[in-house]
């Protein structure tokens, strides 16, 4: 059972980034996919979640209007796109699957926003 | 929505027990039995240690236990071992508007 994320990204302020999260070893549509980020030396921050079965999403208030979460059930992959990037969006982005807890985590994707 | 409050650091000697507190409000910790705890070693992804307040996933040592009283959840590590040295985060469901909120994190040091 694992989640494998796409590789590191470097983006300019104002650009967008899209991170993928591929599930294996379990039925992709059985559990929500959550997105959590962590800036260097800082704590964990929940961003949003996607129900892979229905496509229903929930976003943290901080990310309303900037965060899009989608999925491709045929290949068991979830996607997180963050738009209008700012320097403070520089962080490691994790996907995590589960119900009301985050049972399985991806390895993390480093996103650097730099001009 | 503010982060849940955890002590910045907790330390103990090998074999001792330590407890990490996680204080929220009546809108999150106090309202739902959906507190989870995560262990994170440097440079690694977090690992689920406790879910639904006090349940341990398969494979997690029974030295880890969770509890809740009012708006405060707690994680206790008994028989402290060197490998327990890590950062620990609590997380609580906070309703269908906020969804989830993490704690500020606690660095556990084994002396």
């Amino acid at each position: 059972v694992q989640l494998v994320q796409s590789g590191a990204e470097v983006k300019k302020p104002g650009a967008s980034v899209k991170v993928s999260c591929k599930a294996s070893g379990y039925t992709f549509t059985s559990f929500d996919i959550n997105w959590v980020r962590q800036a260097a030396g800082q704590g964990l921050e929940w961003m949003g979640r996607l129900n892979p079965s229905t496509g229903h999403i929930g976003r943290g208030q901080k990310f309303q209007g900037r965060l899009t979460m989608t999925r491709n059930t045929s290949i068991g992959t979830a996607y997180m796109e963050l738009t209008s990037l700012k320097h403070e969006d520089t962080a490691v982005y994790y996907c995590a699957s589960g119900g009301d807890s985050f049972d399985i985590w991806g390895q993390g994707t480093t996103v650097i926003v730099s001009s | 929505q503010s982060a849940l409050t955890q002590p910045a650091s907790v330390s103990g000697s090998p074999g001792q027990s330590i407890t990490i507190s996680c204080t929220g409000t009546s809108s999150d910790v106090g309202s739902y039995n959906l507190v989870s705890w995560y262990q994170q070693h440097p440079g690694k992804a977090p690992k689920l240690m406790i879910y639904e307040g006090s349940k341990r996933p398969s494979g997690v040592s029974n030295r880890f236990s969770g509890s809740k009283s009012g708006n405060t959840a707690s994680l206790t590590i008994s028989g402290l071992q060197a490998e327990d040295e890590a950062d620990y985060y609590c997380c609580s469901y906070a309703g269908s508007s906020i969804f989830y909120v993490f704690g500020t994190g606690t660095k556990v040091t084994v002396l």
Side-chain angles (χ1 to χ4, degrees):
Chain A
V1 177
Q2 62 177 353
L3 298 172
V4 178
Q5 300 182 222
S6 49
E9 303 265 10
V10 180
K11 296 292 182 180
K12 294 192 181 300
S16 299
V17 67
K18 191 170 186 177
V19 178
S20 67
C21 171
K22 182 172 177 59
S24 63
Y26 74 97
T27 302
F28 177 63
T29 51
S30 294
F31 302 103
D32 289 349
I33 294 288
N34 294 267
W35 291 91
V36 176
R37 74 178 184 180
Q38 185 174 37
Q42 303 300 308
L44 301 171
E45 180 176 32
W46 184 83
M47 299 176 66
R49 73 176 177 186
L50 165 75
N51 181 317
S53 179
T54 64
H56 186 259
I57 62 174
R59 298 182 190 89
Q61 293 177 345
K62 180 176 179 178
F63 301 99
Q64 296 286 351
R66 286 211 299 147
L67 176 63
T68 301
M69 292 168 286
T70 56
R71 87 290 192 207
N72 184 330
T73 56
S74 66
I75 59 173
T77 300
Y79 303 91
M80 182 280 297
E81 183 174 24
L82 192 62
T83 62
S84 302
L85 289 170
K86 313 166 194 175
H87 292 291
E88 50 265 40
D89 291 319
T90 294
V92 176
Y93 288 75
Y94 294 100
C95 60
S97 70
D100 285 308
S101 58
F102 313 132
D103 301 10
I104 305 297
W105 292 69
Q107 82 277 20
T109 296
T110 298
V111 175
I112 296 172
V113 182
S114 174
S115 51
Chain B
Q1 177 72 18
S2 299
L4 307 176
T5 301
Q6 298 180 232
S9 63
V10 174
S11 61
S13 300
Q16 287 186 330
S17 293
I18 62 169
T19 297
I20 303 167
S21 61
C22 169
T23 301
T25 69
S26 57
S27 296
D28 39 61
V29 175
S31 284
Y32 306 96
N33 197 28
L34 293 173
V35 174
S36 51
W37 289 89
Y38 303 87
Q39 176 192 66
Q40 187 180 34
H41 287 108
K44 301 295 186 181
K47 174 186 176 183
L48 177 66
M49 305 302 285
I50 295 289
Y51 67 101
E52 293 180 8
S54 60
K55 298 179 180 178
R56 270 189 315 274
S58 174
V60 171
S61 170
N62 60 8
R63 297 185 298 104
F64 292 84
S65 62
S67 63
K68 189 185 88 167
S69 177
N71 296 337
T72 298
S74 299
L75 174 72
T76 297
I77 309 174
S78 59
L80 200 61
Q81 299 180 1
E83 67 207 50
D84 300 332
E85 188 161 292
D87 293 326
Y88 291 81
Y89 294 91
C90 61
C91 182
S92 176
Y93 181 68
S96 59
S97 176
I98 304 295
F99 291 98
Y100 296 97
V101 59
F102 277 98
T104 50
T106 298
K107 181 176 180 59
V108 169
T109 301
V110 181
L111 302 171

